[in-house]
């Protein structure tokens, strides 16, 4: 079932129960050896269609998205002040420079 399988071959749902997966919420193997093997498999960044060219290990996707992927969409730093714009990490400075947040 889902608890014994991890998607590493591009499938979008569990082959056992057909539940759709989100890449960041994949079920883990109970077998640590298999988890380590699968975790080292190369995958494209989930933001490939947005322009990211990174190929990384499955186990490092979450850190890549959080820390280094310039194509990850993030809310404006002034969200708490009412800005509803979401931008790529790489475009945050441009958004702030072109907006009137600080005026």
């Amino acid at each position: 079932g889902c608890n014994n399988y991890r998607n590493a071959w591009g499938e979008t749902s569990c082959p056992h129960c057909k539940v759709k997966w989100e890449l960041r919420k994949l079920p883990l193997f109970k077998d640590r050896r298999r988890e380590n093997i699968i975790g080292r498999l190369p995958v494209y960044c989930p933001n490939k269609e947005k322009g990211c060219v990174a190929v990384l290990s499955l186990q490092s996707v979450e850190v890549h998205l959080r820390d280094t992927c310039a194509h990850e969409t993030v809310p404006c730093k002034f969200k708490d002040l009412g800005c509803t714009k979401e931008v790529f990490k790489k475009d945050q400075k441009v958004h702030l420079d072109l907006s009137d947040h600080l005026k």
Side-chain angles (χ1 to χ4, degrees):
C2 291
N3 293 331
N4 297 319
Y5 186 82
R6 176 180 232 166
N7 177 23
W9 297 276
E11 293 147 5
T12 59
S13 61
C14 175
H16 301 287
C17 71
K18 306 303 180 203
V19 169
K20 294 277 184 195
W21 282 325
E22 291 181 42
L23 184 59
R24 297 175 194 159
K25 298 178 182 174
L26 295 177
L28 301 175
F29 276 114
K30 289 182 180 178
D31 178 336
R32 296 297 273 165
R33 184 176 153 270
R34 288 184 190 165
E35 183 177 344
N36 288 335
I37 291 169
I38 297 299
R40 289 191 304 263
L41 289 175
V43 295
Y44 291 108
C45 172
N47 290 324
K48 180 181 180 186
E49 292 180 6
K50 296 177 184 177
C52 185
V53 296
V55 176
L56 51 153
S57 68
L58 184 60
Q59 64 193 10
S60 65
V61 168
E62 187 175 341
V63 172
H64 168 72
L65 292 173
R66 183 188 67 227
D67 296 343
T68 60
C69 183
H71 292 84
E72 181 72 348
T73 303
V74 295
C76 173
K77 291 181 179 186
F78 291 97
K79 177 182 178 182
D80 294 340
L81 298 176
C83 183
T84 58
K85 185 80 171 168
E86 291 196 353
V87 297
F88 290 149
K89 284 182 183 178
K90 68 182 183 73
D91 296 332
Q92 281 181 320
K93 182 176 180 347
V94 171
H95 168 69
L96 293 175
D97 289 347
L98 295 177
S99 66
D100 60 355
H101 294 104
L102 301 176
K103 293 179 183 176

XYZ file of all heavy atoms in Angstrom:
835
model
N 0.811 -1.190 0.000
C 0.000 0.000 0.000
C 0.855 1.254 0.000
O 2.056 1.209 -0.171
N 0.238 2.370 0.179
C 0.906 3.672 0.116
C 2.063 3.795 1.098
O 3.042 4.447 0.802
C -0.085 4.788 0.417
S -1.294 5.004 -0.875
N 1.956 3.200 2.275
C 2.996 3.361 3.282
C 4.266 2.607 2.956
O 5.281 2.813 3.587
C 2.477 2.933 4.652
C 1.406 3.870 5.151
O 1.400 5.050 4.815
N 0.487 3.347 5.926
N 4.247 1.741 1.959
C 5.434 0.965 1.596
C 6.023 1.385 0.259
O 6.892 0.739 -0.267
C 5.088 -0.527 1.533
C 4.660 -1.056 2.866
O 5.249 -0.716 3.883
N 3.635 -1.869 2.879
N 5.564 2.477 -0.294
C 5.943 2.849 -1.644
C 6.226 4.339 -1.732
O 5.563 5.130 -1.100
C 4.780 2.489 -2.589
C 5.089 2.676 -4.046
C 5.778 1.712 -4.743
C 4.692 3.822 -4.711
C 6.071 1.871 -6.078
C 4.980 3.997 -6.048
C 5.668 3.009 -6.729
O 5.954 3.178 -8.044
N 7.189 4.690 -2.519
C 7.481 6.114 -2.745
C 7.583 6.345 -4.243
O 8.238 5.614 -4.940
C 8.791 6.498 -2.067
C 9.189 7.924 -2.355
C 10.481 8.271 -1.684
N 10.254 9.479 -0.928
C 11.051 9.944 -0.008
N 12.120 9.288 0.313
N 10.779 11.055 0.606
N 6.927 7.352 -4.725
C 6.941 7.661 -6.148
C 8.296 8.228 -6.538
O 8.688 9.263 -6.059
C 5.847 8.669 -6.452
C 5.855 9.097 -7.903
O 6.355 8.374 -8.752
N 5.316 10.252 -8.172
N 8.996 7.550 -7.433
C 10.272 8.065 -7.916
C 10.359 7.930 -9.427
O 11.398 8.141 -9.996
C 11.419 7.308 -7.258
N 9.279 7.585 -10.064
C 9.306 7.331 -11.492
C 8.347 8.233 -12.251
O 7.925 7.935 -13.339
C 8.981 5.860 -11.747
C 10.023 5.003 -11.133
C 11.222 4.646 -11.675
C 10.008 4.448 -9.820
N 11.948 3.900 -10.784
C 11.225 3.756 -9.632
C 9.098 4.466 -8.774
C 11.544 3.093 -8.466
C 9.421 3.795 -7.610
C 10.631 3.116 -7.460
N 7.953 9.340 -11.669
C 7.127 10.302 -12.360
C 5.634 10.055 -12.274
O 4.855 10.747 -12.910
N 5.215 9.051 -11.526
C 3.787 8.798 -11.395
C 3.141 9.885 -10.552
O 3.754 10.452 -9.672
C 3.552 7.426 -10.754
C 3.996 6.306 -11.676
C 4.542 5.109 -10.918
O 4.494 5.094 -9.691
O 5.017 4.197 -11.593
N 1.891 10.172 -10.828
C 1.205 11.233 -10.099
C 0.236 10.705 -9.060
O -0.389 11.476 -8.349
C 0.435 12.142 -11.079
O -0.506 11.344 -11.801
C 1.384 12.834 -12.033
N 0.097 9.389 -8.977
C -0.778 8.810 -7.969
C -0.242 7.456 -7.547
O 0.549 6.827 -8.244
C -2.210 8.673 -8.497
O -2.236 7.815 -9.610
N -0.686 6.986 -6.400
C -0.259 5.696 -5.867
C -0.776 4.579 -6.770
O -1.970 4.559 -7.099
C -0.807 5.519 -4.451
S -0.445 3.884 -3.759
N 0.100 3.640 -7.160
C -0.351 2.552 -8.030
C -1.291 1.587 -7.309
O -1.986 0.821 -7.943
C 0.947 1.863 -8.449
C 1.920 2.206 -7.386
C 1.517 3.562 -6.882
N -1.320 1.661 -5.989
C -2.159 0.745 -5.211
C -3.554 1.302 -4.972
O -4.550 0.632 -5.194
C -1.497 0.419 -3.871
C -0.150 -0.204 -4.038
N 0.036 -1.492 -4.471
C 1.090 0.319 -3.876
C 1.325 -1.756 -4.551
N 1.996 -0.661 -4.193
N -3.652 2.538 -4.504
C -4.961 3.086 -4.136
C -5.402 4.237 -5.031
O -6.506 4.746 -4.886
C -4.967 3.525 -2.677
S -3.972 5.004 -2.392
N -4.514 4.684 -5.960
C -4.808 5.743 -6.933
C -4.973 7.136 -6.314
O -5.440 8.053 -6.969
C -6.058 5.407 -7.761
C -5.996 4.060 -8.441
C -4.791 3.932 -9.340
C -4.768 2.557 -10.009
N -3.471 2.146 -10.435
N -4.570 7.331 -5.062
C -4.631 8.644 -4.440
C -3.566 9.525 -5.090
O -2.424 9.104 -5.267
C -4.390 8.548 -2.913
C -4.187 9.924 -2.292
C -5.538 7.828 -2.247
N -3.925 10.755 -5.457
C -2.977 11.692 -6.081
C -1.930 12.127 -5.065
O -2.240 12.356 -3.905
C -3.716 12.935 -6.586
C -4.671 12.659 -7.710
C -3.958 12.636 -9.017
C -4.971 12.454 -10.140
N -4.347 12.080 -11.372
N -0.678 12.246 -5.541
C 0.413 12.682 -4.694
C 0.789 14.113 -4.985
O 0.696 14.571 -6.111
C 1.664 11.863 -4.955
C 1.696 10.532 -4.345
C 1.173 10.155 -3.141
C 2.292 9.369 -4.909
N 1.422 8.850 -2.928
C 2.100 8.334 -3.984
C 2.966 9.111 -6.071
C 2.575 7.052 -4.207
C 3.431 7.844 -6.295
C 3.228 6.827 -5.368
N 1.266 14.806 -3.952
C 2.005 16.039 -4.143
C 3.444 15.672 -3.874
O 3.726 14.917 -2.948
C 1.547 17.105 -3.138
C 0.148 17.603 -3.377
C -0.211 18.670 -2.360
O 0.633 19.527 -2.061
O -1.334 18.609 -1.865
N 4.363 16.205 -4.660
C 5.764 15.809 -4.538
C 6.278 15.992 -3.120
O 7.021 15.181 -2.607
C 6.646 16.603 -5.505
C 8.111 16.198 -5.515
C 8.265 14.728 -5.890
C 8.881 17.042 -6.485
N 5.868 17.048 -2.435
C 6.395 17.317 -1.102
C 5.752 16.461 -0.025
O 6.144 16.514 1.118
C 6.183 18.783 -0.764
C 6.936 19.691 -1.698
C 6.628 21.120 -1.415
N 7.093 21.913 -2.533
C 6.676 23.101 -2.820
N 5.781 23.696 -2.081
N 7.153 23.754 -3.850
N 4.728 15.691 -0.364
C 4.029 14.897 0.639
C 3.985 13.428 0.247
O 2.989 12.751 0.449
C 2.605 15.424 0.816
C 2.560 16.841 1.317
C 1.153 17.348 1.439
C 1.180 18.790 1.906
N -0.152 19.378 1.913
N 5.067 12.934 -0.342
C 5.092 11.547 -0.766
C 5.200 10.608 0.431
O 5.877 10.914 1.403
C 6.297 11.292 -1.684
C 6.289 12.032 -3.010
C 7.567 11.738 -3.769
C 5.095 11.638 -3.841
N 4.546 9.456 0.354
C 4.705 8.476 1.428
C 6.129 7.936 1.449
O 6.789 7.884 0.419
C 3.704 7.384 1.063
C 3.382 7.587 -0.370
C 3.659 9.027 -0.698
N 6.604 7.559 2.593
C 7.956 7.048 2.751
C 7.966 5.523 2.841
O 7.010 4.922 3.304
C 8.590 7.594 4.039
C 8.689 9.114 4.132
C 9.216 9.486 5.506
C 9.582 9.658 3.043
N 9.064 4.925 2.403
C 9.257 3.505 2.637
C 9.419 3.270 4.129
O 10.003 4.084 4.833
C 10.556 3.010 1.971
C 10.418 2.667 0.529
C 11.068 3.414 -0.429
C 9.659 1.592 0.129
C 10.966 3.094 -1.766
C 9.551 1.256 -1.202
C 10.210 2.006 -2.155
N 8.959 2.146 4.604
C 9.251 1.761 5.985
C 10.654 1.173 6.061
O 11.264 1.159 7.113
C 8.210 0.749 6.481
C 6.850 1.370 6.691
C 5.873 0.359 7.220
C 4.512 1.005 7.418
N 3.521 0.049 7.891
N 11.155 0.695 4.951
C 12.480 0.083 4.862
C 13.495 1.200 4.590
O 13.527 1.779 3.507
C 12.473 -0.938 3.731
C 13.801 -1.620 3.506
O 14.855 -1.055 3.860
O 13.792 -2.738 2.956
N 14.338 1.522 5.569
C 15.297 2.631 5.446
C 16.278 2.423 4.293
O 16.670 3.387 3.636
C 16.081 2.813 6.757
C 15.218 3.212 7.941
C 14.570 4.538 7.758
N 15.451 5.578 8.217
C 15.288 6.855 7.941
N 14.294 7.245 7.206
N 16.111 7.742 8.386
N 16.691 1.177 4.034
C 17.629 0.905 2.944
C 16.998 1.308 1.610
O 17.618 2.001 0.812
C 18.011 -0.567 2.931
C 19.048 -0.914 1.898
C 19.463 -2.395 2.002
N 19.913 -2.848 0.721
C 19.159 -3.389 -0.221
N 17.871 -3.569 -0.027
N 19.663 -3.770 -1.370
N 15.777 0.907 1.399
C 15.083 1.275 0.155
C 14.842 2.779 0.106
O 14.954 3.389 -0.945
C 13.760 0.533 0.035
C 13.922 -0.908 -0.257
C 12.585 -1.559 -0.458
N 12.756 -2.995 -0.507
C 11.776 -3.855 -0.395
N 10.540 -3.425 -0.229
N 11.997 -5.138 -0.457
N 14.488 3.354 1.221
C 14.261 4.799 1.267
C 15.521 5.547 0.854
O 15.465 6.514 0.099
C 13.824 5.223 2.665
C 13.497 6.692 2.756
C 12.987 7.105 4.122
O 12.602 6.248 4.917
O 12.988 8.315 4.383
N 16.681 5.093 1.334
C 17.952 5.736 0.987
C 18.269 5.585 -0.498
O 18.742 6.528 -1.135
C 19.093 5.177 1.831
C 19.009 5.641 3.263
O 18.430 6.683 3.561
N 19.565 4.862 4.173
N 18.004 4.410 -1.043
C 18.262 4.171 -2.472
C 17.359 5.060 -3.320
O 17.820 5.757 -4.219
C 18.049 2.678 -2.822
C 19.152 1.834 -2.174
C 18.030 2.480 -4.339
C 18.891 0.342 -2.230
N 16.071 5.050 -3.012
C 15.119 5.860 -3.779
C 15.408 7.348 -3.593
O 15.327 8.129 -4.537
C 13.664 5.541 -3.365
C 13.316 4.086 -3.676
C 12.672 6.485 -4.025
C 13.405 3.712 -5.122
N 15.765 7.735 -2.385
C 16.044 9.137 -2.097
C 17.201 9.698 -2.886
O 17.283 10.905 -3.105
N 18.104 8.843 -3.336
C 19.257 9.296 -4.120
C 18.969 9.352 -5.622
O 19.798 9.836 -6.389
C 20.451 8.391 -3.853
C 21.037 8.579 -2.469
C 22.381 7.882 -2.301
N 22.337 6.470 -2.595
C 22.210 5.498 -1.690
N 22.108 5.801 -0.417
N 22.188 4.234 -2.050
N 17.815 8.872 -6.050
C 17.496 8.895 -7.482
C 17.385 10.336 -7.984
O 16.825 11.187 -7.301
C 16.178 8.165 -7.750
C 16.212 6.659 -7.592
C 14.816 6.084 -7.759
C 17.165 6.030 -8.597
N 17.902 10.595 -9.175
C 17.822 11.959 -9.723
C 16.413 12.270 -10.228
O 15.759 11.425 -10.837
C 18.826 11.939 -10.874
C 18.904 10.506 -11.287
C 18.659 9.696 -10.038
N 15.954 13.478 -9.940
C 14.656 13.956 -10.416
C 14.806 15.404 -10.854
O 15.723 16.100 -10.426
C 13.557 13.857 -9.323
C 13.278 12.413 -8.955
C 13.924 14.665 -8.094
N 13.914 15.851 -11.712
C 13.870 17.262 -12.078
C 13.198 18.043 -10.959
O 12.351 17.524 -10.244
C 13.071 17.469 -13.357
C 13.734 16.924 -14.594
C 13.247 15.789 -15.219
C 14.850 17.549 -15.138
C 13.858 15.281 -16.351
C 15.464 17.044 -16.263
C 14.968 15.916 -16.868
O 15.581 15.413 -17.980
N 13.551 19.282 -10.846
C 12.881 20.173 -9.916
C 11.404 20.238 -10.293
O 11.071 20.292 -11.480
C 13.502 21.566 -9.986
S 12.600 22.802 -9.027
N 10.498 20.254 -9.312
C 9.074 20.392 -9.615
C 8.744 21.692 -10.353
O 7.681 21.802 -10.960
C 8.401 20.388 -8.238
C 9.378 19.761 -7.330
C 10.739 20.058 -7.892
N 9.657 22.654 -10.328
C 9.444 23.925 -11.029
C 10.076 23.933 -12.419
O 10.313 24.996 -12.991
C 9.981 25.087 -10.192
C 9.150 25.319 -8.964
O 7.931 25.156 -8.988
N 9.794 25.677 -7.867
N 10.318 22.744 -12.976
C 10.921 22.644 -14.308
C 10.088 23.397 -15.338
O 10.625 24.119 -16.176
C 11.054 21.178 -14.714
C 11.660 20.978 -16.081
C 11.750 19.525 -16.460
C 12.363 19.400 -17.847
N 12.345 18.016 -18.320
N 8.772 23.256 -15.289
C 7.908 23.928 -16.266
C 7.924 25.446 -16.101
O 7.541 26.176 -17.009
C 6.480 23.400 -16.170
C 6.367 21.968 -16.632
C 4.959 21.418 -16.550
O 4.028 22.171 -16.232
O 4.810 20.217 -16.815
N 8.380 25.921 -14.938
C 8.489 27.368 -14.701
C 9.871 27.886 -15.071
O 10.143 29.067 -14.926
C 8.215 27.681 -13.229
C 6.811 27.344 -12.776
C 6.673 27.618 -11.288
C 5.335 27.218 -10.747
N 5.264 27.424 -9.278
N 10.787 26.967 -15.468
C 12.101 27.391 -15.921
C 13.288 26.878 -15.137
O 14.426 27.110 -15.520
N 13.072 26.172 -14.029
C 14.201 25.651 -13.251
C 14.812 24.452 -13.970
O 14.091 23.551 -14.399
C 13.757 25.245 -11.843
S 15.156 24.729 -10.807
N 16.118 24.443 -14.099
C 16.810 23.363 -14.813
C 17.509 22.394 -13.860
O 18.236 21.512 -14.314
C 17.818 23.934 -15.841
C 17.107 24.724 -16.922
C 18.877 24.780 -15.150
N 17.280 22.513 -12.583
C 17.971 21.674 -11.603
C 17.560 20.209 -11.715
O 16.385 19.886 -11.882
C 17.684 22.172 -10.190
N 18.558 19.344 -11.636
C 18.348 17.908 -11.490
C 19.014 17.561 -10.169
O 20.196 17.831 -9.972
C 18.983 17.109 -12.650
C 18.825 15.623 -12.424
C 18.377 17.531 -13.985
N 18.256 17.008 -9.250
C 18.758 16.764 -7.905
C 18.218 15.458 -7.369
O 17.366 14.828 -7.992
C 18.368 17.932 -6.993
C 16.899 18.324 -7.013
C 16.524 18.951 -5.692
C 16.665 19.331 -8.112
N 18.720 15.030 -6.235
C 18.218 13.795 -5.641
C 16.822 14.036 -5.090
O 16.492 15.140 -4.653
C 19.155 13.308 -4.533
O 19.117 14.196 -3.438
N 16.014 12.994 -5.123
C 14.649 13.095 -4.625
C 14.620 13.591 -3.186
O 13.798 14.424 -2.822
C 13.956 11.729 -4.733
C 12.493 11.662 -4.352
C 11.664 12.587 -5.221
C 11.982 10.244 -4.458
N 15.590 13.132 -2.385
C 15.605 13.519 -0.973
C 15.995 14.983 -0.761
O 15.750 15.546 0.297
C 16.514 12.603 -0.166
C 17.977 12.677 -0.549
C 18.794 11.544 0.033
O 18.251 10.599 0.583
N 20.101 11.636 -0.098
N 16.543 15.639 -1.757
C 16.944 17.033 -1.579
C 15.971 18.035 -2.198
O 16.206 19.239 -2.147
C 18.352 17.252 -2.154
O 18.348 17.062 -3.546
N 14.866 17.558 -2.756
C 13.905 18.448 -3.418
C 13.357 19.492 -2.450
O 13.319 20.689 -2.765
C 12.753 17.641 -4.058
C 11.615 18.557 -4.484
C 13.263 16.846 -5.248
N 12.938 19.084 -1.282
C 12.331 20.021 -0.330
C 13.290 21.149 0.040
O 12.911 22.320 0.059
C 11.872 19.283 0.918
C 11.089 20.146 1.872
C 10.527 19.375 3.061
O 10.427 18.145 3.002
O 10.208 20.035 4.057
N 14.550 20.808 0.302
C 15.547 21.821 0.656
C 15.808 22.736 -0.540
O 15.902 23.950 -0.386
C 16.857 21.156 1.141
C 17.971 22.179 1.316
C 16.610 20.408 2.440
N 15.890 22.164 -1.732
C 16.093 22.967 -2.940
C 14.974 23.989 -3.099
O 15.228 25.176 -3.334
C 16.160 22.059 -4.168
C 16.083 22.776 -5.477
N 17.118 23.539 -5.975
C 15.080 22.860 -6.384
C 16.757 24.061 -7.134
N 15.520 23.668 -7.407
N 13.728 23.540 -2.958
C 12.591 24.444 -3.118
C 12.597 25.537 -2.056
O 12.338 26.703 -2.347
C 11.276 23.667 -3.064
C 11.024 22.730 -4.244
C 9.782 21.898 -3.987
C 10.917 23.496 -5.547
N 12.917 25.172 -0.843
C 12.897 26.140 0.262
C 14.057 27.124 0.182
O 13.885 28.323 0.408
C 12.938 25.383 1.599
C 12.845 26.298 2.814
C 13.074 25.568 4.117
N 14.460 25.123 4.184
C 14.824 23.889 4.539
N 13.946 22.977 4.860
N 16.104 23.564 4.569
N 15.250 26.639 -0.166
C 16.453 27.465 -0.028
C 17.044 28.022 -1.324
O 17.619 29.114 -1.302
C 17.552 26.669 0.683
C 17.183 26.292 2.105
O 16.246 26.877 2.669
O 17.839 25.377 2.645
N 16.956 27.303 -2.431
C 17.729 27.722 -3.598
C 16.966 27.862 -4.906
O 17.478 28.492 -5.822
C 18.910 26.760 -3.851
O 18.399 25.453 -4.090
C 19.871 26.740 -2.683
N 15.786 27.295 -5.033
C 15.094 27.340 -6.320
C 14.581 28.751 -6.599
O 13.683 29.254 -5.918
C 13.935 26.354 -6.375
S 13.137 26.352 -8.000
N 15.155 29.381 -7.608
C 14.769 30.744 -7.969
C 13.387 30.786 -8.609
O 12.787 31.845 -8.717
C 15.799 31.333 -8.934
N 12.868 29.633 -9.020
C 11.572 29.568 -9.689
C 10.444 29.134 -8.752
O 9.331 28.889 -9.209
C 11.668 28.639 -10.897
C 12.538 29.198 -11.976
N 13.903 29.049 -11.960
C 12.257 29.943 -13.060
C 14.418 29.660 -13.006
N 13.443 30.210 -13.697
N 10.721 29.065 -7.480
C 9.677 28.770 -6.493
C 8.848 30.038 -6.301
O 9.379 31.135 -6.166
C 10.300 28.327 -5.167
C 9.308 27.981 -4.098
C 8.550 26.684 -4.306
O 8.595 26.095 -5.410
O 7.886 26.252 -3.361
N 7.539 29.899 -6.315
C 6.658 31.042 -6.127
C 6.496 31.316 -4.637
O 6.251 30.403 -3.853
C 5.283 30.753 -6.758
O 5.472 30.448 -8.136
C 4.366 31.951 -6.644
N 6.667 32.574 -4.266
C 6.553 32.980 -2.858
C 5.685 34.232 -2.764
O 5.618 35.023 -3.704
C 7.943 33.259 -2.233
C 8.778 31.990 -2.163
C 8.680 34.341 -2.995
N 5.024 34.421 -1.628
C 4.244 35.650 -1.454
C 5.177 36.844 -1.285
O 6.315 36.710 -0.848
C 3.439 35.398 -0.185
C 4.169 34.332 0.547
C 4.906 33.520 -0.484
N 4.690 38.010 -1.614
C 5.437 39.248 -1.414
C 5.819 39.378 0.062
O 5.059 38.975 0.948
C 4.571 40.435 -1.841
S 5.306 42.044 -1.452
N 6.975 39.958 0.300
C 7.433 40.176 1.679
C 6.498 41.107 2.443
O 6.514 41.155 3.660
C 8.852 40.740 1.686
C 9.889 39.755 1.217
C 11.284 40.339 1.266
C 12.297 39.297 0.813
N 13.665 39.756 0.969
N 5.666 41.857 1.719
C 4.724 42.780 2.348
C 3.299 42.221 2.358
O 2.329 42.977 2.399
C 4.789 44.138 1.660
C 6.085 44.858 1.914
C 7.113 44.800 1.001
C 6.282 45.565 3.092
C 8.318 45.441 1.235
C 7.475 46.218 3.337
C 8.504 46.152 2.412
N 3.203 40.910 2.353
C 1.895 40.251 2.390
C 1.086 40.713 3.608
O -0.108 40.985 3.504
C 2.080 38.736 2.425
C 0.796 37.961 2.526
C 1.051 36.475 2.613
C -0.264 35.736 2.760
N -0.075 34.305 2.897
N 1.737 40.805 4.754
C 1.045 41.211 5.990
C 0.530 42.649 5.932
O -0.328 43.030 6.725
C 1.963 41.043 7.200
C 2.291 39.580 7.476
O 1.545 38.695 7.000
O 3.285 39.322 8.167
N 1.043 43.421 4.982
C 0.587 44.807 4.814
C -0.425 44.937 3.681
O -0.785 46.047 3.293
C 1.781 45.728 4.568
C 2.804 45.789 5.708
C 3.991 46.650 5.304
C 2.160 46.319 6.980
N -0.838 43.778 3.134
C -1.900 43.797 2.140
C -1.529 43.466 0.715
O -2.403 43.388 -0.139
N -0.246 43.282 0.408
C 0.125 42.936 -0.961
C -0.239 41.475 -1.224
O 0.160 40.583 -0.482
C 1.618 43.149 -1.214
S 2.083 42.817 -2.937
N -0.988 41.233 -2.272
C -1.434 39.876 -2.587
C -0.621 39.238 -3.710
O -0.909 38.123 -4.124
C -2.919 39.890 -3.000
O -3.072 40.758 -4.132
C -3.793 40.374 -1.857
N 0.398 39.925 -4.193
C 1.213 39.444 -5.311
C 2.075 38.265 -4.881
O 2.660 38.266 -3.800
C 2.100 40.588 -5.808
C 2.907 40.267 -7.017
C 2.080 40.382 -8.266
C 2.983 40.265 -9.477
N 2.271 40.097 -10.689
N 2.135 37.227 -5.728
C 3.064 36.120 -5.554
C 4.045 36.172 -6.711
O 3.637 36.355 -7.863
C 2.335 34.785 -5.505
C 1.516 34.628 -4.247
C 1.096 33.194 -3.987
O 1.328 32.323 -4.846
O 0.538 32.959 -2.915
N 5.339 36.027 -6.409
C 6.384 36.150 -7.423
C 7.386 35.018 -7.268
O 7.468 34.384 -6.218
C 7.122 37.508 -7.313
C 6.177 38.665 -7.571
C 7.784 37.665 -5.953
N 8.169 34.778 -8.336
C 9.286 33.848 -8.212
C 10.293 34.449 -7.242
O 10.451 35.672 -7.184
C 9.995 33.630 -9.555
C 9.200 32.846 -10.567
C 9.368 33.094 -11.913
C 8.312 31.856 -10.200
C 8.679 32.378 -12.865
C 7.608 31.123 -11.140
C 7.797 31.394 -12.476
N 11.006 33.592 -6.524
C 12.052 34.100 -5.620
C 13.004 35.022 -6.362
O 13.401 36.057 -5.846
C 12.831 32.939 -4.998
C 12.109 32.227 -3.910
C 13.005 31.135 -3.335
C 12.268 30.339 -2.284
N 13.104 29.251 -1.762
N 13.349 34.642 -7.597
C 14.310 35.421 -8.376
C 13.782 36.805 -8.743
O 14.548 37.699 -9.069
C 14.720 34.668 -9.636
C 13.617 34.509 -10.659
C 14.108 33.707 -11.868
C 13.046 33.607 -12.916
N 12.804 34.829 -13.652
N 12.467 36.998 -8.671
C 11.862 38.266 -9.065
C 11.432 39.131 -7.883
O 10.834 40.192 -8.082
C 10.647 38.009 -9.963
C 11.034 37.334 -11.274
O 12.184 37.528 -11.728
O 10.188 36.614 -11.833
N 11.735 38.714 -6.664
C 11.310 39.480 -5.491
C 11.845 40.908 -5.505
O 11.108 41.847 -5.239
C 11.758 38.792 -4.199
C 10.891 37.635 -3.810
C 11.353 37.011 -2.511
O 12.555 36.874 -2.259
N 10.411 36.623 -1.680
N 13.129 41.073 -5.811
C 13.720 42.417 -5.798
C 13.057 43.301 -6.842
O 12.724 44.457 -6.563
C 15.235 42.350 -6.018
C 15.888 43.726 -5.961
C 17.389 43.640 -6.070
C 18.106 44.949 -6.029
N 17.409 46.175 -6.167
N 12.820 42.774 -8.032
C 12.166 43.548 -9.090
C 10.769 43.963 -8.638
O 10.366 45.110 -8.813
C 12.099 42.739 -10.406
C 11.242 43.447 -11.443
C 13.493 42.482 -10.945
N 10.035 43.030 -8.050
C 8.689 43.352 -7.560
C 8.745 44.480 -6.526
O 7.970 45.432 -6.593
C 8.019 42.116 -6.955
C 6.778 42.420 -6.191
N 5.612 42.861 -6.791
C 6.509 42.359 -4.860
C 4.690 43.060 -5.866
N 5.207 42.761 -4.690
N 9.674 44.382 -5.590
C 9.783 45.414 -4.558
C 10.216 46.751 -5.151
O 9.723 47.796 -4.750
C 10.745 44.960 -3.467
C 10.270 43.777 -2.623
C 11.378 43.341 -1.659
C 8.987 44.077 -1.889
N 11.140 46.711 -6.149
C 11.600 47.945 -6.776
C 10.483 48.632 -7.568
O 10.430 49.857 -7.640
C 12.781 47.663 -7.710
C 14.055 47.307 -6.954
O 14.110 47.519 -5.719
O 14.988 46.799 -7.597
N 9.607 47.837 -8.185
C 8.559 48.404 -9.035
C 7.277 48.739 -8.295
O 6.389 49.383 -8.838
C 8.244 47.426 -10.189
C 9.373 47.195 -11.182
C 8.957 46.158 -12.220
C 9.783 48.499 -11.853
N 7.166 48.282 -7.061
C 5.937 48.520 -6.307
C 6.090 49.759 -5.429
O 7.163 50.333 -5.309
C 5.615 47.306 -5.451
O 6.611 47.154 -4.461
N 5.012 50.163 -4.817
C 5.065 51.340 -3.950
C 4.960 50.958 -2.464
O 4.453 51.707 -1.668
C 3.962 52.329 -4.329
C 2.569 51.734 -4.192
O 2.456 50.529 -3.894
O 1.611 52.474 -4.388
N 5.487 49.792 -2.128
C 5.447 49.324 -0.739
C 6.124 50.299 0.222
O 5.683 50.480 1.333
C 6.137 47.966 -0.594
C 5.435 46.859 -1.298
N 5.902 46.349 -2.490
C 4.317 46.161 -1.010
C 5.101 45.378 -2.876
N 4.137 45.242 -2.011
N 7.235 50.844 -0.216
C 8.049 51.638 0.696
C 7.866 53.140 0.524
O 8.595 53.925 1.102
C 9.538 51.273 0.478
C 9.859 49.795 0.708
C 11.321 49.519 0.376
C 9.550 49.374 2.136
N 6.882 53.550 -0.255
C 6.671 54.980 -0.497
C 5.692 55.557 0.484
O 4.913 54.938 1.097
C 6.163 55.196 -1.918
C 7.223 54.836 -2.920
C 6.692 55.023 -4.328
C 7.780 54.578 -5.307
N 7.363 54.629 -6.659
